[in-house]
Amino acid sequence: MFFVDTLEFEGLGNRGYVAGGPGAAVVVDPPRDIDQVIATAARRGVRIAYVVETHVHNDYVSGGLELARVTGAAYLVPAGAHVRFDRTPVADGDTVTVDEGLTLRALATPGHTPHHTSYVLEENGRGVAAFTGGSLLIGSVGRPDLVEPRLTERLARAQHASAHRLADELEDDVAVLPTHGFGSFCASSQATGDATTVGRERRTNDALTKDVDTFVTEMLARLDDVPAYYAHMGPANAAGPAPVDLTAPRRADGEEIASRLAAGEWVVDLRSRVAFAEGHAAGSFNFEGDGRLATYLAWLIPWGKPVTLLAGTPEQLADAQRELARVGIDRPAAAATGDPAGWVRAGEQLVSFPRARFVDLAELRGRGEQVVVLDVRRDAERAGGFIEDSVHIPVHELHGRVGEVPGGTVWVHCAGGMRAAIAASLLDAAGRDVVAVDDGFDAAVEAGLPLTRPGNGR
Protein backbone atom coordinates (compact mmCIF):
# COMPACT_ATOMS: atom_id res chain seq x y z
CA MET A 1 0.00 0.00 0.00
CA PHE A 2 1.18 3.50 -0.79
CA PHE A 3 0.72 6.64 1.28
CA VAL A 4 0.66 10.39 0.56
CA ASP A 5 1.18 12.88 3.37
CA THR A 6 0.42 16.53 2.66
CA LEU A 7 2.54 19.37 4.02
CA GLU A 8 0.37 22.47 4.00
CA PHE A 9 1.71 26.03 4.11
CA GLU A 10 -1.33 28.25 4.54
CA GLY A 11 0.62 31.50 4.70
CA LEU A 12 1.95 30.96 1.17
CA GLY A 13 -1.03 29.04 -0.20
CA ASN A 14 1.12 26.05 -1.13
CA ARG A 15 1.53 22.36 -0.41
CA GLY A 16 4.35 19.85 -0.55
CA TYR A 17 4.05 16.08 -0.39
CA VAL A 18 5.75 13.03 1.06
CA ALA A 19 4.66 9.85 -0.72
CA GLY A 20 5.89 6.28 -0.70
CA GLY A 21 5.56 2.70 0.44
CA PRO A 22 6.61 0.68 3.50
CA GLY A 23 10.30 1.44 3.22
CA ALA A 24 11.00 4.47 1.06
CA ALA A 25 9.46 7.76 -0.03
CA VAL A 26 9.70 10.62 -2.48
CA VAL A 27 9.31 14.27 -1.45
CA VAL A 28 7.67 16.65 -3.92
CA ASP A 29 8.30 20.42 -3.83
CA PRO A 30 9.66 20.65 -0.27
CA PRO A 31 9.70 23.87 1.76
CA ARG A 32 12.84 25.69 2.88
CA ASP A 33 12.49 24.40 6.45
CA ILE A 34 13.20 20.71 5.86
CA ASP A 35 12.99 19.57 9.47
CA GLN A 36 9.25 18.98 9.22
CA VAL A 37 9.75 16.92 6.05
CA ILE A 38 12.28 14.73 7.80
CA ALA A 39 9.94 14.38 10.77
CA THR A 40 7.08 13.32 8.49
CA ALA A 41 9.23 10.58 6.93
CA ALA A 42 10.43 9.50 10.38
CA ARG A 43 6.87 9.09 11.62
CA ARG A 44 6.26 6.80 8.66
CA GLY A 45 9.50 4.96 9.31
CA VAL A 46 10.64 5.42 5.71
CA ARG A 47 13.83 6.52 4.00
CA ILE A 48 13.67 9.55 1.71
CA ALA A 49 14.96 8.09 -1.55
CA TYR A 50 14.09 10.94 -3.92
CA VAL A 51 13.44 14.65 -3.74
CA VAL A 52 11.73 16.09 -6.83
CA GLU A 53 10.87 19.58 -8.03
CA THR A 54 8.05 20.22 -10.46
CA HIS A 55 9.74 23.48 -11.49
CA VAL A 56 12.04 26.25 -10.35
CA HIS A 57 9.69 28.02 -7.98
CA ASN A 58 8.86 31.71 -8.25
CA ASP A 59 7.01 32.12 -4.96
CA TYR A 60 9.12 30.47 -2.26
CA VAL A 61 12.63 29.24 -1.58
CA SER A 62 12.91 25.49 -1.98
CA GLY A 63 14.49 23.18 0.57
CA GLY A 64 15.05 20.48 -2.03
CA LEU A 65 18.80 20.89 -2.45
CA GLU A 66 19.47 20.84 1.29
CA LEU A 67 17.02 17.97 1.89
CA ALA A 68 18.78 15.85 -0.72
CA ARG A 69 22.17 16.67 0.82
CA VAL A 70 21.10 15.83 4.35
CA THR A 71 19.28 12.59 3.49
CA GLY A 72 21.44 11.37 0.63
CA ALA A 73 18.40 11.28 -1.65
CA ALA A 74 18.66 11.75 -5.39
CA TYR A 75 17.58 15.27 -6.36
CA LEU A 76 15.40 15.25 -9.48
CA VAL A 77 14.94 18.57 -11.28
CA PRO A 78 13.45 19.08 -14.76
CA ALA A 79 16.20 18.87 -17.37
CA GLY A 80 15.11 22.16 -18.97
CA ALA A 81 15.57 24.14 -15.76
CA HIS A 82 18.67 26.34 -15.77
CA VAL A 83 20.24 25.73 -12.34
CA ARG A 84 23.77 26.10 -10.99
CA PHE A 85 24.08 22.98 -8.83
CA ASP A 86 24.43 19.26 -9.34
CA ARG A 87 21.16 17.40 -9.71
CA THR A 88 19.63 14.49 -11.60
CA PRO A 89 17.95 15.98 -14.71
CA VAL A 90 14.50 14.59 -15.44
CA ALA A 91 12.98 14.36 -18.90
CA ASP A 92 9.51 13.44 -20.12
CA GLY A 93 8.80 9.75 -19.57
CA ASP A 94 11.63 9.11 -17.10
CA THR A 95 10.75 6.77 -14.25
CA VAL A 96 12.27 5.90 -10.88
CA THR A 97 11.38 3.12 -8.47
CA VAL A 98 10.35 4.56 -5.13
CA ASP A 99 9.58 1.27 -3.38
CA GLU A 100 8.55 -2.23 -4.39
CA GLY A 101 5.71 -1.94 -6.91
CA LEU A 102 5.75 1.86 -6.62
CA THR A 103 7.19 4.05 -9.37
CA LEU A 104 7.25 7.75 -10.21
CA ARG A 105 6.88 8.80 -13.85
CA ALA A 106 7.71 12.27 -15.18
CA LEU A 107 5.30 14.05 -17.55
CA ALA A 108 6.37 17.24 -19.27
CA THR A 109 3.62 19.79 -18.55
CA PRO A 110 4.95 23.19 -19.65
CA GLY A 111 2.85 26.28 -19.02
CA HIS A 112 3.54 27.60 -15.54
CA THR A 113 7.18 27.57 -16.62
CA PRO A 114 8.68 26.29 -19.88
CA HIS A 115 10.30 23.35 -18.10
CA HIS A 116 7.42 22.43 -15.77
CA THR A 117 7.13 18.71 -15.05
CA SER A 118 4.39 16.75 -13.30
CA TYR A 119 4.93 13.36 -11.69
CA VAL A 120 2.56 10.39 -11.67
CA LEU A 121 2.78 7.93 -8.80
CA GLU A 122 2.03 4.44 -10.11
CA GLU A 123 1.26 1.40 -7.99
CA ASN A 124 1.85 -1.85 -9.88
CA GLY A 125 1.68 0.04 -13.15
CA ARG A 126 -1.56 1.92 -12.40
CA GLY A 127 -1.61 5.67 -11.78
CA VAL A 128 -2.88 6.55 -8.32
CA ALA A 129 -1.81 10.17 -7.81
CA ALA A 130 -0.51 13.02 -9.94
CA PHE A 131 1.74 15.68 -8.43
CA THR A 132 0.89 18.56 -10.73
CA GLY A 133 2.83 21.44 -9.16
CA GLY A 134 1.75 24.58 -11.00
CA SER A 135 0.08 22.82 -13.92
CA LEU A 136 -3.40 21.41 -13.29
CA LEU A 137 -4.76 22.90 -10.05
CA ILE A 138 -8.10 22.59 -8.29
CA GLY A 139 -10.46 24.30 -10.73
CA SER A 140 -7.63 26.29 -12.27
CA VAL A 141 -4.07 26.20 -13.58
CA GLY A 142 -0.85 27.93 -12.60
CA ARG A 143 -0.40 31.40 -14.02
CA PRO A 144 1.84 31.68 -17.11
CA ASP A 145 3.16 35.22 -16.65
CA LEU A 146 5.85 34.78 -14.00
CA VAL A 147 8.79 33.86 -16.24
CA GLU A 148 8.99 36.38 -19.08
CA PRO A 149 6.26 38.70 -20.42
CA ARG A 150 7.04 37.78 -24.01
CA LEU A 151 6.32 34.13 -23.22
CA THR A 152 3.02 34.67 -21.41
CA GLU A 153 0.57 33.86 -24.19
CA ARG A 154 2.67 30.97 -25.45
CA LEU A 155 2.83 29.50 -21.95
CA ALA A 156 -0.92 30.04 -21.47
CA ARG A 157 -1.54 27.91 -24.55
CA ALA A 158 0.92 25.34 -23.25
CA GLN A 159 -1.04 25.21 -19.96
CA HIS A 160 -4.17 24.29 -21.90
CA ALA A 161 -2.31 21.53 -23.77
CA SER A 162 -0.68 20.22 -20.58
CA ALA A 163 -4.00 20.03 -18.76
CA HIS A 164 -5.40 18.02 -21.66
CA ARG A 165 -2.40 15.73 -21.64
CA LEU A 166 -2.91 14.94 -17.96
CA ALA A 167 -6.63 14.36 -18.50
CA ASP A 168 -6.02 12.16 -21.53
CA GLU A 169 -3.36 9.98 -19.93
CA LEU A 170 -4.83 9.50 -16.46
CA GLU A 171 -7.96 7.75 -15.19
CA ASP A 172 -10.81 9.67 -13.57
CA ASP A 173 -10.05 8.45 -10.03
CA VAL A 174 -6.40 9.58 -10.01
CA ALA A 175 -5.89 12.17 -7.26
CA VAL A 176 -4.65 15.56 -8.47
CA LEU A 177 -2.16 16.93 -5.93
CA PRO A 178 -1.00 20.44 -6.91
CA THR A 179 1.58 22.58 -5.17
CA HIS A 180 -0.18 25.89 -5.83
CA GLY A 181 -3.76 27.08 -5.70
CA PHE A 182 -4.63 27.35 -2.01
CA GLY A 183 -4.21 31.11 -1.83
CA SER A 184 -0.94 31.33 -3.74
CA PHE A 185 -0.55 34.14 -6.25
CA CYS A 186 1.00 31.51 -8.53
CA ALA A 187 -2.54 30.32 -9.37
CA SER A 188 -4.35 32.02 -12.24
CA SER A 189 -7.51 31.90 -10.09
CA GLN A 190 -8.18 30.56 -6.63
CA ALA A 191 -9.14 27.01 -5.81
CA THR A 192 -12.62 26.00 -4.74
CA GLY A 193 -12.35 23.01 -2.46
CA ASP A 194 -9.56 21.13 -0.80
CA ALA A 195 -9.13 18.00 -2.93
CA THR A 196 -9.83 16.86 -6.46
CA THR A 197 -9.40 14.12 -9.05
CA VAL A 198 -8.73 13.99 -12.76
CA GLY A 199 -12.41 13.17 -13.35
CA ARG A 200 -13.65 16.18 -11.41
CA GLU A 201 -11.25 18.50 -13.21
CA ARG A 202 -12.30 17.08 -16.56
CA ARG A 203 -15.86 18.20 -15.79
CA THR A 204 -15.19 21.56 -14.14
CA ASN A 205 -11.79 23.03 -15.02
CA ASP A 206 -11.85 25.77 -17.66
CA ALA A 207 -8.66 24.38 -19.18
CA LEU A 208 -10.54 21.16 -19.93
CA THR A 209 -14.00 22.51 -20.76
CA LYS A 210 -13.18 25.50 -22.98
CA ASP A 211 -11.41 25.78 -26.31
CA VAL A 212 -7.86 27.07 -26.18
CA ASP A 213 -8.59 30.58 -27.53
CA THR A 214 -11.42 31.22 -25.08
CA PHE A 215 -9.44 29.76 -22.21
CA VAL A 216 -6.34 31.86 -22.94
CA THR A 217 -8.29 35.10 -23.44
CA GLU A 218 -10.23 34.70 -20.21
CA MET A 219 -7.25 33.60 -18.13
CA LEU A 220 -5.01 36.44 -19.25
CA ALA A 221 -7.79 38.94 -18.52
CA ARG A 222 -8.08 37.89 -14.89
CA LEU A 223 -4.41 37.62 -13.90
CA ASP A 224 -3.84 39.42 -10.62
CA ASP A 225 -0.90 41.44 -9.28
CA VAL A 226 2.43 39.67 -8.80
CA PRO A 227 4.08 40.01 -5.37
CA ALA A 228 7.31 41.98 -5.72
CA TYR A 229 9.41 39.39 -3.89
CA TYR A 230 8.72 36.81 -6.61
CA ALA A 231 11.49 38.46 -8.60
CA HIS A 232 14.00 37.14 -6.04
CA MET A 233 12.69 33.59 -5.60
CA GLY A 234 13.51 32.13 -9.03
CA PRO A 235 17.15 33.31 -8.97
CA ALA A 236 17.61 32.03 -5.40
CA ASN A 237 16.27 28.60 -6.35
CA ALA A 238 18.32 28.45 -9.54
CA ALA A 239 21.50 29.30 -7.66
CA GLY A 240 20.90 26.71 -4.94
CA PRO A 241 19.53 28.03 -1.63
CA ALA A 242 21.72 28.00 1.45
CA PRO A 243 20.65 25.96 4.49
CA VAL A 244 18.15 27.77 6.67
CA ASP A 245 19.10 29.10 10.11
CA LEU A 246 16.18 29.13 12.53
CA THR A 247 18.12 29.86 15.70
CA ALA A 248 16.68 32.63 17.85
CA PRO A 249 17.52 36.23 16.84
CA ARG A 250 19.37 38.54 19.20
CA ARG A 251 17.14 40.26 21.73
CA ALA A 252 16.45 43.97 21.47
CA ASP A 253 15.36 46.40 24.20
CA GLY A 254 13.50 49.68 23.80
CA GLU A 255 16.69 51.63 23.15
CA GLU A 256 17.79 49.37 20.31
CA ILE A 257 14.30 49.29 18.78
CA ALA A 258 14.20 53.10 18.79
CA SER A 259 17.66 53.21 17.25
CA ARG A 260 16.68 50.82 14.45
CA LEU A 261 13.54 52.83 13.73
CA ALA A 262 15.60 56.02 13.59
CA ALA A 263 17.95 54.35 11.11
CA GLY A 264 15.03 53.64 8.79
CA GLU A 265 14.93 49.91 9.42
CA TRP A 266 11.64 48.04 9.61
CA VAL A 267 10.26 47.04 13.00
CA VAL A 268 7.38 44.62 12.52
CA ASP A 269 4.83 43.90 15.25
CA LEU A 270 3.38 40.40 14.78
CA ARG A 271 0.53 40.71 17.28
CA SER A 272 -3.12 40.81 16.31
CA ARG A 273 -4.43 43.98 14.70
CA VAL A 274 -6.62 44.55 17.75
CA ALA A 275 -3.66 44.46 20.14
CA PHE A 276 -1.54 46.61 17.84
CA ALA A 277 -4.20 49.32 17.50
CA GLU A 278 -4.54 49.45 21.28
CA GLY A 279 -0.85 50.12 21.85
CA HIS A 280 2.37 49.82 19.87
CA ALA A 281 5.82 51.29 19.45
CA ALA A 282 5.57 54.46 17.35
CA GLY A 283 6.90 53.83 13.87
CA SER A 284 6.42 50.07 13.91
CA PHE A 285 4.36 48.25 11.30
CA ASN A 286 1.67 45.63 11.93
CA PHE A 287 1.84 42.35 9.99
CA GLU A 288 -0.17 39.78 11.90
CA GLY A 289 1.70 36.56 12.54
CA ASP A 290 -1.55 34.66 12.06
CA GLY A 291 -2.28 36.37 8.74
CA ARG A 292 -0.44 36.01 5.45
CA LEU A 293 2.76 37.26 6.99
CA ALA A 294 5.30 35.98 4.46
CA THR A 295 3.32 37.07 1.41
CA TYR A 296 2.60 40.63 2.51
CA LEU A 297 5.75 41.46 4.46
CA ALA A 298 7.96 40.11 1.67
CA TRP A 299 5.82 41.99 -0.87
CA LEU A 300 6.06 45.37 0.88
CA ILE A 301 9.49 45.50 2.46
CA PRO A 302 12.36 46.89 0.36
CA TRP A 303 14.34 43.74 -0.44
CA GLY A 304 17.29 43.31 1.89
CA LYS A 305 16.06 45.88 4.42
CA PRO A 306 16.88 44.78 8.01
CA VAL A 307 13.79 43.76 9.96
CA THR A 308 13.23 43.50 13.70
CA LEU A 309 10.34 41.32 14.87
CA LEU A 310 8.14 42.05 17.89
CA ALA A 311 5.94 39.23 19.15
CA GLY A 312 3.64 38.46 22.04
CA THR A 313 5.28 35.10 22.72
CA PRO A 314 8.50 33.26 21.79
CA GLU A 315 6.33 30.73 19.94
CA GLN A 316 4.81 33.45 17.75
CA LEU A 317 8.30 34.75 16.99
CA ALA A 318 9.59 31.29 16.06
CA ASP A 319 6.62 30.62 13.78
CA ALA A 320 7.13 33.96 12.03
CA GLN A 321 10.85 33.39 11.60
CA ARG A 322 10.16 30.00 10.01
CA GLU A 323 7.56 31.40 7.63
CA LEU A 324 9.75 34.32 6.58
CA ALA A 325 12.69 32.02 5.87
CA ARG A 326 10.50 30.30 3.28
CA VAL A 327 10.56 33.50 1.22
CA GLY A 328 14.19 34.39 1.74
CA ILE A 329 13.93 36.74 4.73
CA ASP A 330 16.43 34.62 6.58
CA ARG A 331 17.70 36.34 9.68
CA PRO A 332 15.85 39.06 11.62
CA ALA A 333 18.23 41.78 12.74
CA ALA A 334 16.79 41.53 16.24
CA ALA A 335 13.61 40.59 18.10
CA ALA A 336 11.63 41.19 21.27
CA THR A 337 8.77 39.36 22.95
CA GLY A 338 6.48 39.84 25.90
CA ASP A 339 5.06 43.09 27.26
CA PRO A 340 4.95 45.82 24.58
CA ALA A 341 5.74 48.40 27.27
CA GLY A 342 9.30 47.06 27.11
CA TRP A 343 9.56 47.88 23.41
CA VAL A 344 9.84 51.63 23.99
CA ARG A 345 12.48 53.67 25.79
CA ALA A 346 12.09 54.61 29.44
CA GLY A 347 9.67 57.49 29.81
CA GLU A 348 8.05 56.94 26.41
CA GLN A 349 4.55 55.63 25.87
CA LEU A 350 2.97 53.27 23.39
CA VAL A 351 0.78 54.93 20.77
CA SER A 352 -2.60 53.82 19.43
CA PHE A 353 -5.27 54.47 16.83
CA PRO A 354 -9.00 53.64 16.68
CA ARG A 355 -10.68 50.75 14.92
CA ALA A 356 -14.18 50.90 13.47
CA ARG A 357 -16.71 49.15 11.27
CA PHE A 358 -18.43 50.23 8.07
CA VAL A 359 -21.57 51.14 9.98
CA ASP A 360 -19.51 53.70 11.92
CA LEU A 361 -18.33 55.21 8.65
CA ALA A 362 -21.90 55.34 7.36
CA GLU A 363 -23.04 57.14 10.51
CA LEU A 364 -20.18 59.62 10.18
CA ARG A 365 -21.06 60.39 6.59
CA GLY A 366 -24.72 60.62 7.54
CA ARG A 367 -23.85 63.48 9.87
CA GLY A 368 -22.18 65.27 6.98
CA GLU A 369 -18.63 64.84 8.30
CA GLN A 370 -15.94 64.60 5.65
CA VAL A 371 -13.15 62.03 5.97
CA VAL A 372 -10.79 60.36 3.54
CA VAL A 373 -11.77 56.78 2.72
CA LEU A 374 -8.78 54.78 1.52
CA ASP A 375 -9.37 51.45 -0.24
CA VAL A 376 -6.24 49.27 -0.16
CA ARG A 377 -7.61 46.27 -2.05
CA ARG A 378 -6.06 45.14 -5.30
CA ASP A 379 -7.26 46.45 -8.66
CA ALA A 380 -9.14 43.23 -9.42
CA GLU A 381 -11.07 43.48 -6.16
CA ARG A 382 -11.95 47.14 -6.60
CA ALA A 383 -13.28 46.38 -10.08
CA GLY A 384 -16.17 44.57 -8.41
CA GLY A 385 -17.36 47.75 -6.67
CA PHE A 386 -16.04 50.42 -4.33
CA ILE A 387 -17.25 53.02 -1.86
CA GLU A 388 -18.23 56.22 -3.62
CA ASP A 389 -15.54 58.92 -3.50
CA SER A 390 -12.97 56.58 -1.96
CA VAL A 391 -9.25 56.86 -2.77
CA HIS A 392 -7.57 53.74 -4.10
CA ILE A 393 -3.98 52.70 -3.38
CA PRO A 394 -3.36 48.94 -3.14
CA VAL A 395 -1.64 48.04 0.11
CA HIS A 396 1.45 46.72 -1.68
CA GLU A 397 1.97 50.19 -3.22
CA LEU A 398 1.11 52.30 -0.19
CA HIS A 399 4.54 52.52 1.43
CA GLY A 400 5.85 54.42 -1.58
CA ARG A 401 2.69 56.45 -2.11
CA VAL A 402 1.76 57.70 1.36
CA GLY A 403 2.23 61.25 0.13
CA GLU A 404 -0.65 60.77 -2.32
CA VAL A 405 -3.21 60.23 0.46
CA PRO A 406 -5.27 63.42 0.87
CA GLY A 407 -5.04 65.36 4.09
CA GLY A 408 -7.35 64.72 7.03
CA THR A 409 -8.32 61.66 9.02
CA VAL A 410 -8.00 58.51 6.92
CA TRP A 411 -10.48 55.65 7.25
CA VAL A 412 -8.69 52.73 5.64
CA HIS A 413 -10.36 49.49 4.59
CA CYS A 414 -9.72 46.32 2.60
CA ALA A 415 -11.91 43.24 2.13
CA GLY A 416 -11.69 41.85 5.64
CA GLY A 417 -9.46 43.91 7.94
CA MET A 418 -5.96 42.38 7.79
CA ARG A 419 -4.59 44.53 4.96
CA ALA A 420 -6.36 47.59 6.37
CA ALA A 421 -4.40 47.02 9.58
CA ILE A 422 -1.14 46.90 7.64
CA ALA A 423 -2.06 50.09 5.80
CA ALA A 424 -3.20 51.82 8.98
CA SER A 425 0.14 51.03 10.61
CA LEU A 426 2.03 52.47 7.62
CA LEU A 427 -0.02 55.67 7.76
CA ASP A 428 0.26 55.89 11.54
CA ALA A 429 4.04 55.55 11.29
CA ALA A 430 4.01 58.41 8.78
CA GLY A 431 2.23 60.63 11.30
CA ARG A 432 -1.26 60.50 9.80
CA ASP A 433 -4.50 60.36 11.80
CA VAL A 434 -5.99 57.00 10.88
CA VAL A 435 -8.98 54.77 11.62
CA ALA A 436 -8.66 51.08 10.70
CA VAL A 437 -11.91 49.61 9.38
CA ASP A 438 -11.93 46.05 10.70
CA ASP A 439 -14.88 44.65 8.79
CA GLY A 440 -15.86 42.53 5.82
CA PHE A 441 -16.56 44.53 2.66
CA ASP A 442 -20.08 43.12 2.37
CA ALA A 443 -20.90 45.11 5.50
CA ALA A 444 -20.35 48.33 3.56
CA VAL A 445 -23.49 47.62 1.53
CA GLU A 446 -25.40 46.54 4.59
CA ALA A 447 -24.45 49.81 6.30
CA GLY A 448 -25.94 51.77 3.39
CA LEU A 449 -22.71 53.18 2.03
CA PRO A 450 -23.15 54.07 -1.67
CA LEU A 451 -21.08 51.88 -3.96
CA THR A 452 -19.80 52.58 -7.45
CA ARG A 453 -19.60 49.59 -9.77
CA PRO A 454 -17.35 50.23 -12.78
CA GLY A 455 -19.22 49.82 -16.07
CA ASN A 456 -22.60 49.72 -14.32
CA GLY A 457 -22.62 52.97 -12.42
CA ARG A 458 -24.03 52.91 -8.88
Side-chain angles (χ1 to χ4, degrees):
M1 290 292 292
F2 73 95
F3 72 87
V4 177
D5 288 337
T6 301
L7 306 171
E8 190 161 2
F9 311 106
E10 293 184 6
L12 293 175
N14 286 332
R15 291 179 176 180
Y17 301 93
V18 180
V26 58
V27 179
V28 182
D29 289 344
R32 179 86 178 281
D33 45 323
I34 63 172
D35 54 331
Q36 61 179 313
V37 181
I38 294 171
T40 299
R43 285 193 294 270
R44 287 284 186 177
V46 296
R47 172 178 60 91
I48 296 176
Y50 297 97
V51 178
V52 303
E53 303 283 6
T54 57
H55 59 295
V56 175
H57 301 283
N58 289 295
D59 61 328
Y60 69 92
V61 181
S62 171
L65 183 63
E66 178 66 3
L67 181 61
R69 186 191 69 81
V70 168
T71 62
Y75 190 27
L76 278 55
V77 178
H82 299 293
V83 297
R84 297 193 294 277
F85 51 82
D86 291 335
R87 88 291 193 199
T88 301
V90 177
D92 184 47
D94 286 352
T95 63
V96 295
T97 299
V98 178
D99 207 336
E100 184 177 354
L102 201 62
T103 61
L104 194 72
R105 177 166 60 96
L107 268 71
T109 50
H112 187 47
T113 67
H115 61 265
H116 190 282
T117 300
S118 298
Y119 300 89
V120 180
L121 187 68
E122 298 177 340
E123 185 178 42
N124 299 321
R126 179 181 179 276
V128 291
F131 301 102
T132 55
S135 184
L136 188 64
L137 311 183
I138 300 178
S140 184
V141 294
R143 60 192 298 170
D145 60 328
L146 301 180
V147 177
E148 160 61 54
R150 291 171 295 181
L151 296 178
T152 296
E153 183 172 350
R154 187 189 313 171
L155 290 176
R157 292 180 178 276
Q159 276 291 48
H160 188 271
S162 292
H164 278 267
R165 182 184 184 191
L166 288 164
D168 290 344
E169 293 196 18
L170 302 176
E171 300 295 330
D172 278 356
D173 62 348
V174 174
V176 174
L177 303 173
T179 301
H180 304 312
F182 308 95
S184 168
F185 282 88
C186 273
S188 60
S189 62
Q190 291 311 311
T192 54
D194 195 52
T196 193
T197 62
V198 170
R200 178 188 170 190
E201 294 308 307
R202 188 179 282 115
R203 295 188 303 271
T204 61
N205 195 304
D206 283 355
L208 297 172
T209 61
K210 296 184 178 182
D211 67 86
V212 62
D213 291 332
T214 301
F215 167 76
V216 168
T217 298
E218 292 180 354
M219 178 173 67
L220 296 184
R222 67 172 179 258
L223 290 175
D224 210 337
D225 297 313
V226 178
Y229 72 93
Y230 277 23
H232 305 280
M233 300 298 96
N237 286 320
V244 68
D245 180 3
L246 295 177
T247 57
R250 65 185 303 275
R251 299 290 167 167
D253 59 13
E255 287 288 346
E256 180 174 349
I257 291 169
S259 175
R260 291 187 177 279
L261 284 166
E265 296 182 12
W266 278 39
V267 174
V268 172
D269 192 325
L270 302 165
R271 295 176 301 147
S272 75
R273 54 186 181 260
V274 176
F276 182 87
E278 289 176 348
H280 56 271
S284 61
F285 301 143
N286 183 213
F287 291 79
E288 291 181 302
D290 293 336
R292 300 191 62 184
L293 170 67
T295 294
Y296 283 100
L297 179 54
W299 196 340
L300 271 68
I301 192 171
W303 199 250
K305 174 81 73 173
V307 60
T308 294
L309 300 178
L310 309 179
T313 65
E315 292 77 18
Q316 185 182 49
L317 173 62
D319 288 346
Q321 188 177 349
R322 178 180 292 270
E323 188 166 349
L324 292 175
R326 293 173 184 157
V327 293
I329 301 178
D330 285 4
R331 294 295 301 163
T337 60
D339 185 353
W343 301 346
V344 296
R345 290 177 293 197
E348 295 182 345
Q349 301 295 317
L350 299 173
V351 297
S352 63
F353 55 75
R355 296 164 53 248
R357 305 183 74 82
F358 281 115
V359 67
D360 301 313
L361 177 59
E363 291 176 358
L364 193 71
R365 281 189 160 185
R367 296 195 298 268
E369 297 187 35
Q370 298 299 311
V371 294
V372 178
V373 178
L374 176 63
D375 180 350
V376 296
R377 296 174 300 160
R378 297 186 302 277
D379 291 345
E381 296 172 284
R382 186 170 170 89
F386 55 88
I387 296 173
E388 190 176 283
D389 298 326
S390 61
V391 177
H392 180 226
I393 303 176
V395 68
H396 58 272
E397 299 177 8
L398 181 59
H399 186 249
R401 298 177 60 187
V402 169
E404 298 178 28
V405 180
T409 300
V410 183
W411 285 58
V412 58
H413 80 85
C414 60
M418 180 193 73
R419 288 172 293 171
I422 295 172
S425 71
L426 297 175
L427 291 166
D428 176 71
R432 298 297 303 271
D433 291 329
V434 64
V435 178
V437 179
D438 193 357
D439 210 353
F441 190 68
D442 289 346
V445 178
E446 297 169 4
L449 288 166
L451 258 59
T452 298
R453 301 188 186 278
N456 297 318
R458 289 182 55 178

